[in-house]
Amino acid sequence: MSDPISNMLTSIRNAGRASLPDVLVPHSKMKESIAHVLKREGYVAEVAVEGKPTKKIKITLKYTGRKPVIEGLRRVSSPGLRRYTGALDVPRVLGGLGISILSTSEGIMTGVQARQKNVGGELLCEVW
């Protein structure tokens, strides 16, 4: 697996399209932080870390009726082509209807939080 974050986003996207209640992805601190940002912003219902020897992140998806709350996920920065943005240049997703997730010097946060704290960083993904 060359891009674990992309793998996590694809698992979430596929689980939403298949109307699955939850998805399990291998654990890492960055993926756990991204999942907690998605929970804080209301895109997923629950995030839990399970397992003792090999940890997994269990992400419980949210639905409105039969339609998943997460309509789209897009990986912006990849291992082959990193995308960095300054604090003033953080893009708005769908005119503010979605969120962008950044890896900054102060941790993983949304684009709105990065603008408020006046920090830039690596633009990991966009969610709407």
Side-chain angles (χ1 to χ4, degrees), residues 8-93:
M8 177 182 122
L9 297 176
T10 301
S11 297
I12 293 172
R13 184 183 312 114
N14 290 344
R17 288 182 180 165
S19 299
L20 299 177
D22 51 12
V23 62
L24 283 172
V25 294
H27 180 270
S28 76
K29 288 181 182 180
M30 182 174 282
K31 289 191 274 188
E32 184 179 356
S33 298
I34 292 170
H36 283 294
V37 167
L38 291 174
K39 181 179 181 342
R40 188 173 59 239
E41 294 297 317
Y43 287 100
V44 298
E46 189 74 33
V47 174
V49 178
E50 297 180 343
K52 203 63 167 170
T54 57
K55 291 183 182 178
K56 299 270 186 190
I57 303 171
K58 182 178 181 181
I59 302 170
T60 306
L61 302 178
K62 254 177 137 172
Y63 294 92
T64 54
R66 296 190 63 167
K67 187 177 177 187
V69 171
I70 296 176
E71 291 184 16
L73 290 157
R74 188 170 71 99
R75 178 81 157 118
V76 178
S77 182
S78 64
L81 183 62
R82 301 285 186 190
R83 302 279 185 183
Y84 296 96
T85 181
L88 301 176
D89 301 326
V90 176
R92 298 188 195 313
V93 180

Side-chain angles (χ1 to χ4, degrees), residues 103-109 119-121:
S103 173
T104 67
S105 59
E106 297 184 16
I108 306 288
M109 62 181 67
V119 293

